[in-house]
Amino acid sequence: MAGIDLEVMDGEFFSMLGPSGSGKTTTLRMIAGFELPTAGRILLHGEDVSHRPPFERDVNTVFQDYALFPHMTVGQNVGYGLMIRKVPRQELDLRVGEALDMVRLSGYEQRKPSQLSGGQRQRVALARALVNRPRVLLLDEPLGALDLKLREEMQIELKAIQQEVGITFIYVTHDQEEALTMSDRLAVFNQGRLEQIGAPADVYERPITRFVAGFVGISNLLTGDAARSIIGQEGTFTVRPEKIHLAAPDAPVGEDEITASGRIREVVYVGPDTRYIVLLDAGSELVVTQQNLATSSTDVLAARGNAVRLVWKRQHVLPIKDGSRTEES
Amino acid sequence: MTSITNDLPPPPRGLLRRLAGWLHRRPSVRLGGLLAGPVGWLVIVYLGSLAIMLLNAFWTRDAFSGQTIYVPTLKNFEDLINGPYPGITLRTVALAAAVTVTCGLLALPIGYFMARIASPRLRNALVVAVIVPLWASYLIKVYSWRLILAEEGILNWALAPLGLKGPGFGDVAVWLVFTYIWLPYMILPVYAGFERIPESLLEASSDLGGRSWTTFRRILLPLVFPAMVAGSIFTFSLTLGDYIAPATVSTTIFIGNSIFANFGAGNFPLAAALSLVPLVIVLIYLLIARRLGAFNAL
């Protein structure tokens, strides 16, 4: 891990996004106290907790494998933290009930974790952490083991729960869509370094490094000769695939628009939209995404090999810092 | 692209192939062929000899001629209840329990260290160190202990400078020897039990406020307990039936010694009846162990 400087706001849904081995989970584990930093400090509401053991930190974790205690019932699992804090029996039962209510598992107190589905276990893990009302809730790829449909449902639910309880969530994921849809802000990690921090729209629309452009979305880079002849400038530029329009080779081009001619090399039909991979005459490749508003799969697949003109607004071209990391991280 | 086709000649249709095909269509015949040997062994040799033993327990021996009288009677069982045997049985069960508890207490830290602290290299070395004594002859081990515990043995020699003395031969010696001999049978399942517990469970406990002791008592111990019960099946039942170790380092009589003595004296019916005692105790023990989840831990 290289130097990481992160500040998370109170009550924020903050995501740490990056490929495996990028340092996001290590960062999370250091906040939780499972790993100790060799240098630097971790402050929780101004208090230095860098060298405190996990049981003396006011944070709770939702583990990737849920880590439910198999020999305890759901109720005992959720009540574990309260039991250790010697919360009186009555209040404990009440709070466990409330927490299970929140994750829509009322009445499951007596079940064993082995009797639950993956999605239900995930909710129990969430309830077990939230019931302690921590300052910060850490979530380590909590939806990674769920299938796509359930994952999308849980994304919405998690976000709703976070807004309801108002606790700071720090969420680790390698899924860029998940990070974009759920977070108030997100941090992109790569090789133990922080590449960019910002609101989802900022990071997506204005990636500042080549890595971020490629990891959050499709990279679509223009460099060297291609950049010179199409943009008219030296450097590396990116343009998001949905900002590009496919037009006929002889279509007129507006004043504020940039254009490039090429040939469709490959067509990928993905249902609601189609991805065209266009080989530019200037010697680079761009991916173009078009919604299938009026076209069918037969139409779009027939377009393979056609000569086309790509058109996009000048404002959608973004300069990228070459190299893969920022200076100030 | 070249197309992929199967240009190999068809396999020859020999007798073995035809037989294999015939068996393939008859799963019950296949299963029968597979299990005939082991099931035959189990039923005829193993359960058969047990049945003969049970039957023997209902005969008696003519005290005068020494001949077995083949008339069914409950006399042997009356002897079991009235003679010195209830005391011997109780003593044996107490010994087996003491050995089991000691093995459990020793295996807990060793198993924990092997599974969760030792480096993979050291772990392998320790597993070997635990298993290797099982390969050594039982008799050699028992007689080694006889040498260790003898009046002029190495233990007394080592303790002498401290002004101490070893336990010598007797009940303590029997307990020591059994604990030593059966300990691997406890360490191995306990080690495997600790290894099966995911690290994240311990992290979760710590994350939820549990200190090391709480995590040990609430998470580790309950999760490894079935493995300890599994190990105890060996330590308990092996101690229950053994007669060589007590005879070597003690003069106290345990059930095994009684069976052996009666057998040696030619009183097969009483020996058979006595043999049923540890058998019944072990059966009861297994039923309890199953309730405690030991069989899921093996």
Side-chain angles (χ1 to χ4, degrees):
Chain A
M1 296 274 305
I4 295 263
D5 192 3
L6 265 183
E7 197 167 346
V8 181
M9 310 294 158
D10 207 9
E12 189 175 38
F13 197 121
F14 187 86
S15 292
M16 300 198 284
L17 175 67
S20 51
S22 61
K24 57 193 194 310
T25 296
T26 310
T27 307
L28 192 84
R29 290 173 60 82
M30 285 199 280
I31 302 174
F34 302 136
E35 273 161 55
L36 297 177
T38 46
R41 294 191 308 157
I42 296 159
L43 302 182
L44 190 61
H45 282 247
E47 224 180 312
D48 190 347
V49 298
S50 315
H51 293 282
R52 287 213 204 141
F55 48 81
E56 280 171 14
R57 297 189 189 200
D58 201 2
V59 299
N60 285 124
T61 308
V62 176
F63 291 82
Q64 189 170 12
D65 64 354
Y66 316 141
L68 299 180
F69 306 129
H71 58 300
M72 296 185 188
T73 63
V74 167
Q76 287 169 332
N77 262 286
V78 176
Y80 189 79
L82 301 176
M83 180 217 49
I84 284 173
R85 259 162 248 178
K86 303 203 162 53
V87 172
R89 186 81 229 170
Q90 253 182 332
E91 195 196 332
L92 185 145
D93 286 342
L94 196 73
R95 280 175 66 175
V96 167
E98 281 172 7
L100 285 175
D101 260 354
M102 187 161 56
V103 296
R104 298 194 284 114
L105 280 178
S106 315
Y108 278 70
E109 279 91 342
Q110 296 311 315
R111 304 273 188 102
K112 282 286 182 78
S114 56
Q115 296 169 302
L116 303 180
S117 69
Q120 288 170 334
R121 283 179 210 178
Q122 210 282 321
R123 288 156 198 267
V124 175
L126 187 64
R128 184 178 69 176
L130 278 176
V131 78
N132 307 295
R133 295 172 195 156
R135 284 246 160 108
V136 179
L137 186 74
L138 307 173
L139 302 102
D140 185 9
E141 307 213 13
L143 309 182
L146 305 180
D147 60 53
L148 183 64
K149 199 104 191 131
L150 200 53
R151 196 157 69 221
E152 284 170 348
E153 275 172 39
M154 280 304 296
Q155 284 172 8
I156 296 166
E157 207 171 313
L158 261 180
K159 181 76 185 165
I161 287 172
Q162 192 264 338
Q163 276 160 352
E164 189 186 322
V165 297
I167 292 173
T168 310
F169 275 34
I170 300 182
Y171 191 96
V172 158
T173 180
H174 62 256
D175 182 335
Q176 45 109 353
E177 203 177 295
E178 206 165 274
L180 290 176
T181 50
M182 298 171 78
S183 330
D184 296 320
R185 286 193 310 145
L186 61 96
V188 183
F189 281 71
N190 183 35
Q191 295 180 344
R193 285 172 190 277
L194 201 51
E195 294 271 341
Q196 188 171 359
I197 303 187
D202 280 342
V203 175
Y204 184 74
E205 306 261 350
R206 286 180 290 282
I208 56 176
T209 68
R210 182 194 278 256
F211 176 80
V212 176
F215 194 75
V216 186
I218 291 166
S219 62
N220 264 0
L221 293 178
L222 291 172
T223 50
D225 286 345
R228 226 168 290 131
S229 68
I230 295 170
I231 316 283
Q233 281 179 51
E234 287 288 338
T236 304
F237 300 89
T238 182
V239 53
R240 290 297 182 196
E242 70 279 6
K243 307 287 191 203
I244 307 174
H245 298 282
L246 278 182
D250 52 353
V253 176
E255 188 70 358
D256 57 345
E257 285 175 332
I258 286 180
T259 183
S261 57
R263 194 166 285 280
I264 296 177
R265 186 171 72 73
E266 193 60 80
V267 181
V268 184
Y269 177 73
V270 276
D273 35 46
T274 302
R275 218 173 285 151
Y276 300 88
I277 299 165
V278 179
L279 190 60
L280 301 180
D281 297 341
S284 190
E285 254 182 15
L286 283 182
V287 178
V288 180
T289 314
Q290 303 274 276
Q291 274 191 289
N292 291 328
L293 292 173
T295 43
S296 71
S297 61
T298 0
D299 297 341
V300 299
L301 290 172
R304 185 178 302 170
N306 286 359
V308 284
R309 177 166 287 281
L310 304 184
V311 181
W312 64 91
K313 297 243 190 285
R314 187 168 285 281
Q315 78 222 41
H316 291 140
V317 175
L318 298 163
I320 291 283
K321 278 185 195 166
D322 232 342
S324 71
R325 43 182 110 89
T326 51
E327 302 299 311
E328 63 268 44
S329 75
Chain B
M1 261 208 355
T2 54
S3 64
I4 298 167
T5 52
N6 183 358
D7 53 1
L8 296 173
R13 300 230 358 120
L15 189 64
L16 268 177
R17 271 194 166 267
R18 287 226 297 280
L19 181 66
W22 184 82
L23 279 173
H24 183 81
R25 288 185 292 277
R26 285 164 191 80
S28 54
V29 175
R30 259 188 298 158
L31 196 65
L34 188 70
L35 291 181
V39 168
W41 170 270
L42 198 68
V43 170
I44 297 165
V45 179
Y46 198 78
L47 294 180
S49 57
L50 271 181
I52 290 170
M53 190 180 80
L54 184 66
L55 201 63
N56 255 295
F58 290 97
W59 311 139
T60 47
R61 191 179 68 137
D62 188 297
F64 184 67
S65 68
Q67 296 295 306
T68 303
I69 305 166
Y70 297 99
V71 179
T73 165
L74 291 175
K75 185 182 167 300
N76 292 323
F77 297 96
E78 279 164 29
D79 287 352
L80 281 191
I81 296 164
N82 296 324
Y85 301 115
I88 294 175
T89 304
L90 221 59
R91 187 191 302 149
T92 311
V93 170
L95 173 71
V99 168
T100 297
V101 169
T102 317
C103 284
L105 289 177
L106 290 174
L108 215 49
I110 297 174
Y112 182 82
F113 179 81
M114 283 167 68
R116 312 207 69 95
I117 298 173
S119 65
R121 219 186 151 86
L122 181 59
R123 178 182 312 157
N124 288 341
L126 285 171
V127 169
V128 171
V130 169
I131 291 175
V132 162
L134 292 179
W135 295 344
S137 159
Y138 168 90
L139 282 177
I140 297 288
K141 286 184 283 188
V142 174
Y143 275 96
S144 307
W145 272 100
R146 199 183 155 85
L147 295 177
I148 292 170
L149 294 168
E151 191 63 35
E152 304 82 28
I154 188 167
L155 189 63
N156 281 343
W157 173 79
L159 290 176
L162 305 169
L164 294 172
K165 212 168 172 302
F169 297 142
D171 291 351
V172 175
V174 176
W175 167 71
L176 265 178
V177 172
F178 275 136
T179 301
Y180 162 76
I181 293 179
W182 307 139
L183 187 58
Y185 292 101
M186 182 65 94
I187 292 180
L188 290 175
V190 168
Y191 155 67
F194 274 124
E195 205 169 40
R196 267 199 300 268
I197 302 174
E199 183 68 28
S200 65
L201 292 189
L202 310 187
E203 287 180 353
S205 171
S206 172
D207 184 70
L208 293 164
R211 285 156 206 284
S212 309
W213 172 246
T214 314
T215 301
F216 177 78
R217 200 166 64 87
R218 301 268 181 191
I219 310 297
L220 274 174
L221 201 57
L223 286 176
V224 88
F225 184 69
M228 290 183 75
V229 177
S232 79
I233 293 172
F234 299 108
T235 57
F236 187 83
S237 62
L238 291 172
T239 308
L240 212 55
D242 196 285
Y243 65 93
I244 296 174
T248 313
V249 297
S250 160
T251 50
T252 313
I253 301 292
F254 294 96
I255 296 184
N257 306 95
S258 301
I259 298 169
F260 181 69
N262 278 297
F263 194 78
N267 193 346
F268 298 129
L270 185 58
L274 272 169
S275 301
L276 292 176
V277 174
L279 197 72
V280 168
I281 294 173
V282 167
L283 275 179
I284 294 168
Y285 194 84
L286 286 177
L287 286 176
I288 296 171
R290 196 181 62 172
R291 293 214 107 189
L292 295 173
F295 296 117
N296 303 327
L298 273 176

